[in-house]
Amino acid sequence: MGAVEPTREQAAPDGEAALASLAELFEAVLEGVRDISPRPLSVSQLRAVVALDRHDGVNLRELAEQLDSTPPLVSRLCDRLEAVGFLERLPSARSRRELTLRLSDRGRAYLRDLRARRRENVEALLAKMSPAGRSALAAGLREYRALADGESAGTP
């Protein structure tokens, strides 16, 4: 990924144009980290794998809710994950009519490898930044996370 030069608006962040530019820059950074992943999974499939890693043993309806999707779409998504060996469908302990969704060992290994690659990529880029740049980035990300955590907790 090439270097992304900040625009004049990004250098002095105020106003809607600056906010839009900053959002585009943030997305470009995230996209660059995403580009290092091996490609057997689509973005939707990767979201499902991450959700299953966090909430092991959910059923299809619960996974659909976590992905903000519908059970039929998530069922097809699970079909594809099962076909590449990343997902196991097991009988549910709660109901004979339900299946429990779990990541397979292969799915867990994929996710572990992906996270390690992303971490290495981020660390390499951070090492190239100036100490002042790293400090400013850390402060900005702490503020961003605090705001995001506040919104997810229901506070404006």
Side-chain angles (χ1 to χ4, degrees):
M1 176 173 108
V4 178
E5 293 295 320
T7 64
R8 185 172 45 94
E9 292 89 359
Q10 291 165 337
D14 59 343
E16 287 183 36
L19 189 56
S21 294
L22 187 57
E24 287 175 18
L25 179 61
F26 193 58
E27 181 59 32
V29 168
L30 293 177
E31 193 62 39
V33 172
R34 208 176 290 140
D35 283 344
I36 63 165
S37 66
R39 289 290 179 199
L41 300 183
S42 69
V43 172
S44 297
Q45 291 168 332
L46 183 57
R47 286 184 64 228
V49 166
V50 169
L52 288 167
D53 184 53
R54 290 184 181 143
H55 306 282
D56 190 43
V58 296
N59 64 29
L60 187 66
R61 182 188 47 76
E62 292 165 337
L63 181 59
E65 287 173 7
Q66 289 172 20
L67 298 176
D68 196 27
S69 188
T70 63
L73 288 175
V74 174
S75 180
R76 287 192 292 277
L77 186 80
C78 288
D79 290 342
R80 291 188 294 274
L81 289 173
E82 190 173 33
V84 294
F86 284 14
L87 175 85
E88 297 173 343
R89 290 178 170 151
L90 305 167
S92 172
R94 294 183 291 194
S95 167
R96 291 189 309 189
R97 297 180 346 157
E98 249 178 41
L99 292 174
T100 296
L101 304 174
R102 290 207 131 117
L103 281 184
S104 67
D105 290 342
R106 183 174 183 209
R108 289 187 197 290
Y110 171 85
L111 199 52
R112 205 171 29 253
D113 180 57
L114 175 64
R115 287 175 172 154
R117 287 187 203 218
R118 285 183 173 179
R119 189 172 32 259
E120 289 169 7
N121 183 268
V122 167
E123 287 172 357
L125 292 173
L126 288 172
K128 293 177 184 178
M129 291 178 72
S130 68
R134 282 193 301 270
S135 179
L137 178 62
L141 289 174
R142 277 192 296 273
E143 182 178 351
Y144 181 91
R145 183 169 187 178
L147 290 168
D149 288 347
E151 284 189 15
S152 67
T155 31

